[in-house]
Amino acid sequence: MNLLQIQDKVWAQACLGACAPHLEEKLGPPVPSCSVVGPVSSYYVQRYGFPSGCKVVAFTGDNPASLAGMRLEEGDIAISLGTSDTLFLWLQEPTPALEGHIFCSPVDPRHYMALLCFKNGSLMREKIRDESASGSWSEFSKALRSTEMGNGGNLGFYFDVKEITPEMIGRHRFSPENREVPAFPADVEIRALIEGQFLAKRIHAEGLGYRVLPKTKILATGGASHNGDILQVLADVFGAPVYVIDTANSACVGSAYRAFHGLAAGTGVPFSEVVKFAPSPRLAATPSPGAAQVYAALLPRYAQLEQRILSQSQGLPE
């Protein structure tokens, strides 16, 4: 699907030509994700007993299927807080970049989805927990509750393994005056890590064209989604309520939803109507009063410092 011109929904001729001759006729024309492309093969009817009238709905990848499984709607974000942190975004007007991936939405042919992956996820959080909270998540959470939003202007970048988004490595801590410092107090270190991780996610999401809308909600899953204090920082940084969902096998569930939608799509039924009776996510955190002002000031600072670190690592002038 990287051969597709996502705006026009047609194969890119230059890409087809670079890959193989006569590729377009082998691929066939692209179709919307909710299209029925034909009946199941007679092989499956004879071998496995499928009904001969069984319809096949257009295929999609595992990540788009996960977006369907998590039932994202316009303006929503899904974030998987695991070994790596992964961000799924619903986009109206994408601005493709060299980082991240942009796809056609699997549930609405007018819109798009983006995927961003951050390698330093839970393992980095666990390292700082061990170093600054005696290995205790309870102490880690207490530090988040005892420090103020914005961390007094202290910002941190924590990449013990080479990061994907952005491409950098190392730990970098900055005072409110943007001076790099060697260390923070333990509680400041913990908040700097969590705020820094979520500031980076918002900055790079907005770099792909994402904008937080009044109706935006964040759907969180993965190990760290069980920590309410981490989710509170997420809600504050993005300025949107955070919900938690059980997304075990979300790609499989999303594929089932999409098949159901494919059977109904001929009648013009939107995907949201098809899945309206699915289990609802649970509200876990809402933005704190004053959070919007605090992080509106920090976001451009964080982006500038990130660029400064990248320039220094590449030997470029700041």
Side-chain angles (χ1 to χ4, degrees), residues 173-184:
R173 303 170 183 87
F174 293 90
S175 71
E177 298 76 33
N178 289 347
R179 290 197 311 270
E180 189 154 6
V181 295
F184 285 146

Side-chain angles (χ1 to χ4, degrees), residues 30-52:
V31 297
S33 296
C34 59
S35 304
V36 173
V37 294
V40 72
S41 163
S42 60
Y43 171 84
Y44 287 97
V45 175
Q46 296 162 11
R47 178 77 184 268
Y48 297 107
F50 276 73
S52 58

Side-chain angles (χ1 to χ4, degrees), residues 99 157 166 168 174 203-204 300-314 316-318:
E99 62 186 29
F157 299 76
M168 63 169 64
F174 293 90
I203 287 164
H204 290 283
R301 260 193 72 209
Y302 190 93
Q304 290 164 5
L305 289 169
E306 180 183 275
Q307 193 56 49
R308 179 168 141 189
I309 298 166
L310 282 168
S311 297
Q312 289 174 345
S313 68
Q314 296 165 359
L316 301 173
E318 295 176 20

Side-chain angles (χ1 to χ4, degrees), residues 1-7 9 63-64 87 89-106 111-116 204-210:
M1 296 311 297
N2 284 328
L3 304 178
L4 188 74
Q5 289 180 203
I6 59 173
Q7 281 88 359
K9 311 292 192 291
N63 287 309
L87 215 60
L89 309 166
W90 181 298
L91 299 178
Q92 287 181 297
E93 298 291 338
T95 52
L98 293 177
E99 62 186 29
H101 307 273
I102 294 179
F103 309 95
C104 296
S105 168
H111 294 155
Y112 304 87
M113 68 166 283
L115 180 70
L116 283 164
H204 290 283
E206 291 180 349
L208 292 177
Y210 179 78

Side-chain angles (χ1 to χ4, degrees), residues 63 77-81 84-91 95-103 113-119 163-166 197-210 238:
N63 287 309
I77 310 166
I79 178 167
S80 174
L81 298 168
S84 294
D85 290 345
T86 306
L87 215 60
F88 296 87
L89 309 166
W90 181 298
L91 299 178
T95 52
L98 293 177
E99 62 186 29
H101 307 273
I102 294 179
F103 309 95
M113 68 166 283
L115 180 70
L116 283 164
C117 191
F118 301 82
K119 188 178 286 188
E163 187 50 80
I164 300 168
T165 314
Q197 288 187 330
F198 293 143
L199 286 166
K201 289 171 177 56
R202 180 165 178 179
I203 287 164
H204 290 283
E206 291 180 349
L208 292 177
Y210 179 78
F238 275 84

